[in-house]
Amino acid sequence: MKALVLAGGTGSRLRPFTFTSAKQLLPIANKPVLFYGLEAIAAAGVEEVAVVVGHHGAEVREAVADGARFGLRITYLRQDEPLGLAHAVLLAREFLGDEDFLLYLGDNYLQEGLTGFVRRAVADPSAARLLLTPVADPTAFGVAELDARGDVLRLEEKPDRPRSDLALIGVYAFGPQIHAAVRAISPSGRGELEITDAVQWMIEQGLRVSAETTERPWRDTGSVEDLLEVNRQVLDGMTGRVEGKVDPDSTLVGRVRVAEGAVVRGSRVVGPVVIGAGTVVSDSSIGPYTSIAEDCRIQDSAIAHSVLLRGAHVEGASRIECSLIGRGAAVSPAPRLPGAHRLVIGDHSRVQLTS
Protein backbone atom coordinates (compact mmCIF):
# COMPACT_ATOMS: atom_id res chain seq x y z
CA MET A 1 0.00 0.00 0.00
CA LYS A 2 1.12 3.54 -0.82
CA ALA A 3 -0.05 6.82 0.70
CA LEU A 4 -1.18 10.14 -0.74
CA VAL A 5 -0.89 13.03 1.72
CA LEU A 6 -2.44 16.41 1.00
CA ALA A 7 -0.34 19.36 2.18
CA GLY A 8 -1.64 22.16 -0.04
CA GLY A 9 -4.75 24.28 0.34
CA THR A 10 -5.05 27.94 1.24
CA GLY A 11 -5.73 27.60 4.98
CA SER A 12 -8.11 30.56 4.89
CA ARG A 13 -9.34 30.00 8.46
CA LEU A 14 -5.78 30.34 9.75
CA ARG A 15 -4.92 33.62 8.10
CA PRO A 16 -2.71 35.61 8.54
CA PHE A 17 -0.44 32.68 9.52
CA THR A 18 -1.05 30.89 6.21
CA PHE A 19 -0.09 33.94 4.15
CA THR A 20 3.53 33.13 5.02
CA SER A 21 3.50 29.42 5.92
CA ALA A 22 1.78 26.14 5.10
CA LYS A 23 -0.97 25.33 7.61
CA GLN A 24 0.36 21.76 7.83
CA LEU A 25 3.62 23.09 9.29
CA LEU A 26 2.03 24.97 12.17
CA PRO A 27 3.37 23.35 15.35
CA ILE A 28 1.59 21.13 17.85
CA ALA A 29 3.74 20.75 20.99
CA ASN A 30 6.59 22.23 18.93
CA LYS A 31 6.28 19.69 16.08
CA PRO A 32 4.56 20.42 12.75
CA VAL A 33 1.13 18.82 12.58
CA LEU A 34 2.10 17.20 9.25
CA PHE A 35 4.83 15.23 11.02
CA TYR A 36 2.30 13.45 13.25
CA GLY A 37 0.55 12.12 10.15
CA LEU A 38 3.77 11.05 8.45
CA GLU A 39 4.89 9.26 11.60
CA ALA A 40 1.52 7.46 11.80
CA ILE A 41 1.79 6.41 8.15
CA ALA A 42 5.28 4.99 8.73
CA ALA A 43 4.11 3.20 11.89
CA ALA A 44 1.33 1.57 9.83
CA GLY A 45 3.96 -0.01 7.59
CA VAL A 46 3.52 2.24 4.55
CA GLU A 47 6.82 3.31 2.98
CA GLU A 48 6.05 5.10 -0.32
CA VAL A 49 4.28 8.44 0.05
CA ALA A 50 3.37 11.21 -2.37
CA VAL A 51 2.86 14.61 -0.76
CA VAL A 52 0.67 17.03 -2.70
CA VAL A 53 1.83 20.62 -2.13
CA GLY A 54 0.60 24.06 -3.16
CA HIS A 55 1.95 27.60 -2.91
CA HIS A 56 4.07 26.79 0.16
CA GLY A 57 5.52 23.68 -1.44
CA ALA A 58 9.15 24.80 -1.04
CA GLU A 59 8.69 25.16 2.71
CA VAL A 60 7.09 21.72 2.98
CA ARG A 61 9.92 20.19 0.95
CA GLU A 62 12.51 21.83 3.18
CA ALA A 63 10.83 20.57 6.35
CA VAL A 64 10.10 17.01 5.21
CA ALA A 65 12.95 16.51 2.71
CA ASP A 66 13.10 12.98 1.26
CA GLY A 67 11.21 11.47 4.20
CA ALA A 68 14.15 9.42 5.48
CA ARG A 69 13.77 10.84 9.00
CA PHE A 70 10.31 9.22 9.10
CA GLY A 71 11.36 5.97 7.42
CA LEU A 72 9.52 7.00 4.25
CA ARG A 73 10.34 7.54 0.57
CA ILE A 74 8.59 10.74 -0.46
CA THR A 75 7.60 12.06 -3.87
CA TYR A 76 6.24 15.61 -4.24
CA LEU A 77 3.37 16.55 -6.54
CA ARG A 78 2.37 20.14 -7.27
CA GLN A 79 -1.29 21.22 -7.19
CA ASP A 80 -1.34 24.84 -8.36
CA GLU A 81 -4.89 25.51 -7.15
CA PRO A 82 -6.99 23.78 -4.45
CA LEU A 83 -9.21 21.92 -6.92
CA GLY A 84 -10.38 19.18 -4.57
CA LEU A 85 -9.27 15.87 -3.08
CA ALA A 86 -10.36 13.92 -6.15
CA HIS A 87 -8.22 16.22 -8.30
CA ALA A 88 -5.24 15.30 -6.12
CA VAL A 89 -5.92 11.64 -6.90
CA LEU A 90 -5.91 12.51 -10.62
CA LEU A 91 -2.53 14.22 -10.20
CA ALA A 92 -1.11 11.16 -8.46
CA ARG A 93 -2.26 8.61 -11.07
CA GLU A 94 1.24 7.75 -12.28
CA PHE A 95 2.65 7.50 -8.76
CA LEU A 96 -0.21 5.34 -7.47
CA GLY A 97 -0.40 2.95 -10.41
CA ASP A 98 -2.92 0.20 -9.68
CA GLU A 99 -1.95 -0.23 -6.02
CA ASP A 100 -4.21 0.27 -3.05
CA PHE A 101 -3.43 3.49 -1.23
CA LEU A 102 -4.18 5.54 1.85
CA LEU A 103 -5.45 9.11 1.35
CA TYR A 104 -4.70 11.37 4.32
CA LEU A 105 -5.26 15.08 4.94
CA GLY A 106 -2.01 16.57 6.21
CA ASP A 107 -3.60 18.99 8.68
CA ASN A 108 -5.46 16.20 10.52
CA TYR A 109 -4.58 14.92 13.96
CA LEU A 110 -5.82 11.43 14.81
CA GLN A 111 -4.82 10.32 18.29
CA GLU A 112 -5.19 6.59 17.64
CA GLY A 113 -2.92 6.65 14.61
CA LEU A 114 -3.45 4.72 11.37
CA THR A 115 -2.09 1.24 12.04
CA GLY A 116 -5.40 -0.43 12.84
CA PHE A 117 -7.21 1.25 9.95
CA VAL A 118 -4.55 0.19 7.43
CA ARG A 119 -4.44 -3.37 8.80
CA ARG A 120 -8.20 -3.76 8.45
CA ALA A 121 -8.20 -2.25 4.96
CA VAL A 122 -5.66 -4.87 3.85
CA ALA A 123 -7.47 -7.75 5.57
CA ASP A 124 -10.93 -6.83 4.22
CA PRO A 125 -10.45 -5.19 0.81
CA SER A 126 -13.14 -2.98 -0.73
CA ALA A 127 -13.24 -0.30 -3.40
CA ALA A 128 -13.01 2.26 -0.61
CA ARG A 129 -12.84 2.25 3.18
CA LEU A 130 -13.82 5.42 5.06
CA LEU A 131 -13.03 6.47 8.60
CA LEU A 132 -15.97 8.18 10.30
CA THR A 133 -16.69 9.81 13.62
CA PRO A 134 -19.93 11.04 15.21
CA VAL A 135 -20.15 14.85 15.32
CA ALA A 136 -22.54 17.32 16.91
CA ASP A 137 -23.13 19.30 13.69
CA PRO A 138 -23.04 17.00 10.64
CA THR A 139 -24.06 19.87 8.31
CA ALA A 140 -20.44 21.06 8.35
CA PHE A 141 -19.03 17.76 7.04
CA GLY A 142 -19.35 15.06 4.45
CA VAL A 143 -21.83 12.63 5.99
CA ALA A 144 -22.20 8.86 5.49
CA GLU A 145 -25.34 6.74 5.76
CA LEU A 146 -24.56 3.07 6.56
CA ASP A 147 -26.46 -0.17 6.10
CA ALA A 148 -26.84 -2.87 8.76
CA ARG A 149 -23.53 -4.45 7.73
CA GLY A 150 -21.66 -1.18 8.14
CA ASP A 151 -21.14 -0.53 4.45
CA VAL A 152 -21.88 2.90 2.99
CA LEU A 153 -25.24 3.42 1.32
CA ARG A 154 -24.90 7.11 0.54
CA LEU A 155 -22.57 10.09 0.98
CA GLU A 156 -23.62 13.73 1.13
CA GLU A 157 -21.39 16.81 1.31
CA LYS A 158 -22.53 19.26 4.03
CA PRO A 159 -26.22 18.28 3.82
CA ASP A 160 -28.97 20.56 5.12
CA ARG A 161 -30.77 17.50 6.53
CA PRO A 162 -28.15 14.89 7.44
CA ARG A 163 -29.19 11.24 7.37
CA SER A 164 -26.71 10.42 10.15
CA ASP A 165 -24.22 12.08 12.48
CA LEU A 166 -21.26 10.16 11.00
CA ALA A 167 -18.76 12.54 9.43
CA LEU A 168 -15.83 11.85 7.11
CA ILE A 169 -12.61 12.85 8.85
CA GLY A 170 -10.09 12.84 6.01
CA VAL A 171 -8.75 9.27 6.21
CA TYR A 172 -9.53 6.92 3.30
CA ALA A 173 -8.22 3.67 1.86
CA PHE A 174 -8.83 3.14 -1.86
CA GLY A 175 -8.47 0.39 -4.40
CA PRO A 176 -7.65 1.13 -8.05
CA GLN A 177 -11.38 1.55 -8.82
CA ILE A 178 -11.10 5.14 -7.53
CA HIS A 179 -9.25 6.19 -10.69
CA ALA A 180 -12.28 5.58 -12.90
CA ALA A 181 -14.44 7.38 -10.34
CA VAL A 182 -12.39 10.60 -10.26
CA ARG A 183 -12.42 10.71 -14.06
CA ALA A 184 -16.18 10.22 -14.17
CA ILE A 185 -17.28 13.09 -11.91
CA SER A 186 -17.66 16.81 -12.61
CA PRO A 187 -16.64 19.78 -10.45
CA SER A 188 -19.04 20.70 -7.66
CA GLY A 189 -20.67 24.07 -7.18
CA ARG A 190 -17.52 25.35 -5.51
CA GLY A 191 -15.42 24.33 -8.52
CA GLU A 192 -13.72 21.32 -6.93
CA LEU A 193 -13.64 17.62 -7.72
CA GLU A 194 -15.11 16.24 -4.50
CA ILE A 195 -13.89 12.91 -3.18
CA THR A 196 -17.40 12.35 -1.78
CA ASP A 197 -18.78 12.52 -5.32
CA ALA A 198 -16.20 9.99 -6.49
CA VAL A 199 -17.05 7.58 -3.67
CA GLN A 200 -20.77 8.04 -4.31
CA TRP A 201 -20.13 7.20 -7.99
CA MET A 202 -18.52 3.92 -6.91
CA ILE A 203 -21.50 3.10 -4.71
CA GLU A 204 -23.85 3.73 -7.64
CA GLN A 205 -21.74 1.39 -9.80
CA GLY A 206 -22.37 -1.39 -7.29
CA LEU A 207 -18.87 -1.34 -5.78
CA ARG A 208 -18.49 -2.03 -2.09
CA VAL A 209 -17.59 0.95 0.10
CA SER A 210 -16.93 -0.04 3.71
CA ALA A 211 -16.62 2.17 6.78
CA GLU A 212 -15.47 2.10 10.33
CA THR A 213 -16.21 4.49 13.16
CA THR A 214 -13.91 5.96 15.78
CA GLU A 215 -14.73 8.00 18.84
CA ARG A 216 -11.09 8.62 19.73
CA PRO A 217 -9.95 12.27 19.60
CA TRP A 218 -9.66 13.67 16.09
CA ARG A 219 -9.24 17.23 14.89
CA ASP A 220 -8.88 19.12 11.66
CA THR A 221 -6.38 21.78 12.74
CA GLY A 222 -7.75 24.29 10.25
CA SER A 223 -8.68 26.94 12.82
CA VAL A 224 -6.93 28.57 15.77
CA GLU A 225 -9.40 27.01 18.21
CA ASP A 226 -8.83 23.49 16.85
CA LEU A 227 -5.07 23.93 16.78
CA LEU A 228 -5.05 24.99 20.44
CA GLU A 229 -7.26 22.03 21.33
CA VAL A 230 -4.95 19.56 19.59
CA ASN A 231 -2.01 21.19 21.36
CA ARG A 232 -3.80 20.51 24.65
CA GLN A 233 -4.44 16.86 23.73
CA VAL A 234 -0.84 16.22 22.71
CA LEU A 235 0.60 17.96 25.76
CA ASP A 236 -1.66 15.81 27.96
CA GLY A 237 0.27 12.76 26.80
CA MET A 238 3.70 14.33 27.13
CA THR A 239 6.33 13.36 29.70
CA GLY A 240 8.49 15.99 31.37
CA ARG A 241 12.19 16.33 30.70
CA VAL A 242 14.66 19.09 31.51
CA GLU A 243 17.67 19.31 29.21
CA GLY A 244 18.11 23.10 29.29
CA LYS A 245 19.03 25.36 32.20
CA VAL A 246 16.60 26.14 35.03
CA ASP A 247 17.93 28.42 37.78
CA PRO A 248 17.28 27.91 41.53
CA ASP A 249 14.81 30.82 41.58
CA SER A 250 12.46 29.01 39.18
CA THR A 251 9.77 26.42 39.95
CA LEU A 252 8.62 23.68 37.59
CA VAL A 253 5.31 22.00 38.44
CA GLY A 254 4.08 18.86 36.68
CA ARG A 255 5.14 17.75 33.19
CA VAL A 256 7.48 20.37 31.79
CA ARG A 257 9.86 19.81 28.90
CA VAL A 258 12.74 22.26 28.59
CA ALA A 259 14.80 21.61 25.48
CA GLU A 260 18.57 21.72 25.39
CA GLY A 261 19.69 25.31 24.94
CA ALA A 262 16.59 26.80 26.58
CA VAL A 263 16.91 28.90 29.75
CA VAL A 264 14.35 29.47 32.52
CA ARG A 265 15.16 32.16 35.08
CA GLY A 266 13.12 33.41 38.03
CA SER A 267 9.92 31.90 36.62
CA ARG A 268 7.12 29.51 37.52
CA VAL A 269 6.18 26.93 34.86
CA VAL A 270 3.09 24.78 35.40
CA GLY A 271 2.84 21.82 33.04
CA PRO A 272 2.10 20.46 30.67
CA VAL A 273 4.42 22.89 28.92
CA VAL A 274 7.11 22.52 26.27
CA ILE A 275 9.85 25.13 25.83
CA GLY A 276 11.97 25.00 22.67
CA ALA A 277 15.71 25.23 22.19
CA GLY A 278 17.21 28.70 22.37
CA THR A 279 14.21 30.18 24.18
CA VAL A 280 14.73 32.32 27.29
CA VAL A 281 11.96 32.65 29.88
CA SER A 282 12.60 35.13 32.67
CA ASP A 283 10.53 36.53 35.55
CA SER A 284 7.37 34.99 34.07
CA SER A 285 4.54 32.56 34.71
CA ILE A 286 4.01 29.94 32.00
CA GLY A 287 1.30 27.32 31.59
CA PRO A 288 -0.52 25.14 31.70
CA TYR A 289 -1.05 23.81 28.15
CA THR A 290 1.47 26.08 26.50
CA SER A 291 3.97 25.36 23.73
CA ILE A 292 6.80 27.84 23.20
CA ALA A 293 8.88 27.20 20.07
CA GLU A 294 12.57 27.79 19.48
CA ASP A 295 14.40 31.10 19.97
CA CYS A 296 11.56 32.93 21.78
CA ARG A 297 11.99 35.55 24.50
CA ILE A 298 9.45 35.72 27.34
CA GLN A 299 10.04 38.35 30.00
CA ASP A 300 7.89 39.61 32.88
CA SER A 301 4.77 37.99 31.41
CA ALA A 302 2.08 35.39 32.13
CA ILE A 303 1.04 32.99 29.33
CA ALA A 304 -1.34 30.01 29.45
CA HIS A 305 -3.20 27.73 27.00
CA SER A 306 -1.27 29.19 24.07
CA VAL A 307 1.12 28.38 21.23
CA LEU A 308 4.08 30.62 20.38
CA LEU A 309 5.94 30.11 17.11
CA ARG A 310 9.67 30.43 16.51
CA GLY A 311 11.24 33.75 17.47
CA ALA A 312 8.21 35.27 19.21
CA HIS A 313 8.98 37.94 21.81
CA VAL A 314 6.62 38.71 24.70
CA GLU A 315 7.47 41.30 27.33
CA GLY A 316 5.42 42.90 30.09
CA ALA A 317 2.18 41.06 29.27
CA SER A 318 0.13 40.73 32.44
CA ARG A 319 -1.89 37.76 31.10
CA ILE A 320 -2.12 36.04 27.71
CA GLU A 321 -4.49 33.08 27.26
CA CYS A 322 -5.85 30.94 24.39
CA SER A 323 -3.58 32.68 21.89
CA LEU A 324 -1.51 31.82 18.82
CA ILE A 325 1.47 34.13 18.37
CA GLY A 326 3.32 33.98 15.05
CA ARG A 327 6.95 33.69 14.06
CA GLY A 328 9.03 36.68 15.02
CA ALA A 329 5.99 38.51 16.46
CA ALA A 330 6.50 40.96 19.32
CA VAL A 331 4.07 41.69 22.15
CA SER A 332 4.86 44.51 24.58
CA PRO A 333 3.04 47.13 26.68
CA ALA A 334 1.59 50.14 24.91
CA PRO A 335 3.26 53.45 25.77
CA ARG A 336 1.51 55.51 28.41
CA LEU A 337 0.07 58.68 26.91
CA PRO A 338 -0.22 61.87 28.97
CA GLY A 339 -3.71 62.28 30.37
CA ALA A 340 -5.88 65.12 29.10
CA HIS A 341 -9.48 66.32 29.34
CA ARG A 342 -11.53 67.90 26.58
CA LEU A 343 -14.41 69.94 27.90
CA VAL A 344 -17.39 71.70 26.39
CA ILE A 345 -19.01 73.34 29.42
CA GLY A 346 -22.11 75.46 29.40
CA ASP A 347 -22.65 78.72 31.23
CA HIS A 348 -22.55 78.62 35.03
CA SER A 349 -21.46 74.91 35.09
CA ARG A 350 -19.31 73.41 37.84
CA VAL A 351 -16.90 70.51 37.03
CA GLN A 352 -14.52 68.68 39.35
CA LEU A 353 -11.54 66.82 37.87
CA THR A 354 -9.84 64.04 39.87
CA SER A 355 -6.57 64.38 38.02
Side-chain angles (χ1 to χ4, degrees):
M1 179 175 281
K2 294 181 177 180
L4 182 62
V5 177
L6 305 191
T10 58
S12 57
R13 291 181 295 156
L14 279 167
R15 291 171 179 164
F17 302 97
T18 49
F19 284 133
T20 56
S21 178
K23 62 179 178 177
Q24 296 83 5
L25 295 182
L26 287 173
I28 303 295
N30 283 6
K31 182 166 68 176
V33 63
L34 176 61
F35 287 15
Y36 292 94
L38 294 176
E39 289 169 354
I41 288 168
V46 178
E47 296 180 353
E48 290 189 69
V49 178
V51 178
V52 178
V53 297
H55 296 305
H56 297 296
E59 186 184 16
V60 175
R61 287 171 181 261
E62 182 179 359
V64 177
D66 62 359
R69 63 184 293 184
F70 306 101
L72 301 172
R73 296 190 300 275
I74 290 183
T75 298
Y76 292 94
L77 303 173
R78 172 81 179 192
Q79 187 181 40
D80 291 324
E81 299 293 336
L83 298 177
L85 307 191
H87 181 261
V89 176
L90 280 173
L91 284 177
R93 182 67 180 92
E94 182 177 349
F95 168 82
L96 295 170
D98 290 326
E99 294 191 40
D100 293 349
F101 68 96
L102 179 76
L103 176 63
Y104 184 84
L105 303 189
D107 58 351
N108 269 5
Y109 173 77
L110 186 64
Q111 190 179 72
E112 68 183 81
L114 298 166
T115 301
F117 180 79
V118 170
R119 184 186 301 122
R120 290 184 289 273
V122 172
D124 182 22
S126 55
R129 176 176 288 264
L130 316 179
L131 188 57
L132 311 172
T133 194
V135 295
D137 180 16
T139 62
F141 297 88
V143 176
E145 180 184 0
L146 307 183
D147 64 15
R149 182 185 176 187
D151 290 343
V152 181
L153 287 171
R154 184 182 293 103
L155 287 180
E156 295 179 282
E157 185 67 30
K158 299 180 180 177
D160 293 331
R161 296 182 179 179
R163 297 173 183 267
S164 82
D165 65 348
L166 297 176
L168 296 162
I169 60 175
V171 180
Y172 312 80
F174 288 115
Q177 301 93 330
I178 187 64
H179 299 299
V182 298
R183 290 195 303 269
I185 62 174
S186 300
S188 65
R190 59 179 183 168
E192 296 187 7
L193 289 176
E194 308 285 357
I195 201 70
T196 49
D197 290 344
V199 176
Q200 183 63 35
W201 183 90
M202 288 194 289
I203 294 171
E204 292 168 359
Q205 300 304 305
L207 298 171
R208 182 184 171 217
V209 175
S210 60
E212 57 183 84
T213 302
T214 180
E215 296 191 16
R216 296 289 298 277
W218 158 83
R219 287 277 176 167
D220 161 12
T221 59
S223 70
V224 172
E225 293 75 15
D226 286 333
L227 190 144
L228 293 176
E229 174 59 20
V230 173
N231 187 66
R232 185 193 67 78
Q233 292 174 3
V234 173
L235 289 179
D236 259 337
M238 184 191 75
T239 57
R241 185 172 66 247
V242 176
E243 297 174 335
K245 296 180 180 179
V246 179
D247 76 356
D249 295 327
S250 296
T251 302
L252 306 186
V253 180
R255 289 166 291 134
V256 176
R257 183 172 295 178
V258 182
E260 183 177 359
V263 176
V264 179
R265 293 193 294 255
S267 298
R268 178 178 174 85
V269 183
V270 178
V273 165
V274 58
I275 299 173
T279 286
V280 177
V281 177
S282 57
D283 301 317
S284 295
S285 172
I286 306 296
Y289 296 111
T290 298
S291 297
I292 302 174
E294 300 82 2
D295 302 321
C296 294
R297 295 291 181 270
I298 314 298
Q299 182 176 354
D300 191 26
S301 298
I303 303 173
H305 299 275
S306 295
V307 172
L308 279 68
L309 277 57
R310 178 189 291 270
H313 183 182
V314 179
E315 179 180 358
S318 59
R319 185 70 177 176
I320 292 175
E321 291 185 354
C322 303
S323 298
L324 177 59
I325 298 176
R327 293 181 294 185
V331 179
S332 60
R336 292 184 176 273
L337 299 175
H341 303 283
R342 179 177 181 271
L343 306 175
V344 178
I345 301 175
D347 297 348
H348 309 298
S349 297
R350 182 172 297 173
V351 177
Q352 294 180 323
L353 303 176
T354 59
S355 61

